[in-house]
Amino acid sequence: SRMPLPRSSFVRHHVLLPAITALLASTVLMGAGVDFWIADQLYAWQGHHWALQDAWLTSRVLHKGGRNASCLLGLVAMMACLYAWRRPRWSDLRQPLLYLVLAVAFSTGLVSLLKSASNMDCPWDLLRYGGDRSFVGLFSMRPVGMPRGACFPGGHASAGYAWVALYFTALLWRPRWALPGLAFGLLAGLLFGITQQLRGAHFLSHDVWTLAICWFTALALYLPFARRNACGHSVAVEETA
C-alpha cells in the first residue's frame, strides 16, 4: 500500500541523515587515520603484499565479472525501457525504467569524472604498501613531477552502488519493493568495494564517497520524476507502508 511521506520526513531520511552519516564516516576514516589502519590489516594479512591484487576470484570474477554483470544489467534496463515505450500494457513502467537508466548512467558517469579530476593514489601505489609514492591527501597540493593518481572515488564500487536507484524506482512504481531494491544496491556496492580494498585498489573512505555520490545523484533525478507522478496521478512523494 501507499502512503504520503511528509516533506520534512522525506528530507530528514533521504537528505540529512545520509549526508551527516557520510560526512562523519569520511571524517573518521580520512581524518582519524582509520583508512590506513584497515589497509594496514589487510596488507599484513596478505603477507605484506597485495596477494589478492591479481587473484582469480578478486580480479577476474568479482572485479571484471562484476563490472560486466553491472553493464549487462544496465543493458537489460535500457532494453526494458525501450520495450515499455512500445507496449501500452507496460505504460506504468515507462517513467520508472527511464529514471532507472538515467540514474545509473549519471551515477557511474559522475564517479568516473571525479576519478579523473581528484588526482589521488591507490593504496598499492604508496610507499607504505610497497609502491613508490608518498601519500597526498585529497585537498593537499601534489608535488611537482609526481604522476597523476586516479583512485578516488571508487569506480568499481559505483557499478554496485549505482543500483541504489532501484529504491527510488520502486517508489515511482511499487513502493513495497523499495527496501529490497535498496538492499540490492547496497550489497552489490559493498561486495565490489571490499573486493577492491582486498586488492589494494581503494581505501574504505573512497567507497563511502562513492555511495554518497550515487545516492544523491539518484535522489536528485528522482525528484522531478516524483513531481511528474504527483501532477499526473495525484501521487505524493511516498514510501512503503
Side-chain angles (χ1 to χ4, degrees):
S1 60
R2 298 183 175 188
M3 63 176 292
L5 183 65
R7 182 169 299 180
S8 60
S9 296
F10 185 87
V11 171
R12 182 168 63 252
H13 289 96
H14 295 79
V15 181
L16 296 180
L17 287 179
I20 292 171
T21 301
L23 288 174
L24 287 176
S26 180
T27 299
V28 171
L29 292 170
M30 301 179 81
V34 177
D35 263 346
F36 284 117
W37 183 86
I38 295 173
D40 286 348
Q41 309 311 306
L42 296 177
Y43 189 64
W45 174 65
Q46 296 178 50
H48 295 281
H49 67 287
W50 298 110
L52 296 176
Q53 180 174 348
D54 298 313
W56 175 78
L57 178 61
T58 53
S59 179
R60 292 185 177 274
V61 177
L62 296 175
H63 184 226
K64 294 179 182 178
R67 178 185 60 204
N68 292 339
S70 182
C71 290
L72 179 60
L73 191 57
L75 181 61
V76 170
M78 285 190 287
M79 293 176 64
C81 182
L82 291 174
Y83 185 84
W85 286 91
R86 295 173 61 88
R87 294 292 186 271
R89 290 168 59 182
W90 281 45
S91 60
D92 288 347
L93 274 168
R94 290 173 182 173
Q95 293 296 322
L97 285 172
L98 177 60
Y99 161 78
L100 179 62
V101 170
L102 291 176
V104 171
F106 273 89
S107 294
T108 54
L110 182 56
V111 169
S112 180
L113 179 64
L114 291 173
K115 273 173 62 70
S116 66
S118 63
N119 202 14
M120 281 195 73
D121 297 308
C122 305
W124 63 37
D125 293 322
L126 303 178
L127 290 166
R128 183 171 183 146
Y129 305 113
D132 57 4
R133 305 180 192 178
S134 300
F135 176 76
V136 180
L138 179 61
F139 301 109
S140 302
M141 292 294 295
R142 199 168 181 86
V144 176
M146 179 181 284
R148 289 190 60 83
C151 287
F152 178 89
H156 188 51
S158 74
Y161 284 133
W163 294 99
V164 297
L166 287 168
Y167 170 83
F168 296 106
T169 303
L171 291 186
L172 293 169
W173 184 50
R174 294 287 188 273
R176 66 179 178 274
W177 293 353
L179 292 182
L182 177 62
F184 177 85
L186 291 177
L187 290 174
L190 187 62
L191 175 62
F192 293 166
I194 291 175
T195 296
Q196 291 298 77
Q197 290 165 49
L198 288 171
R199 298 180 67 233
H202 290 289
F203 290 111
L204 178 56
S205 64
H206 297 188
D207 296 330
V208 170
W209 280 69
T210 299
L211 173 56
I213 291 166
C214 290
W215 175 263
F216 286 109
T217 300
L219 173 61
L221 287 171
Y222 164 75
L223 295 177
F225 279 87
R227 292 192 192 99
R228 181 182 177 89
N229 265 10
C231 293
H233 303 92
S234 299
V235 178
V237 176
E238 299 166 330
E239 69 174 356
T240 54

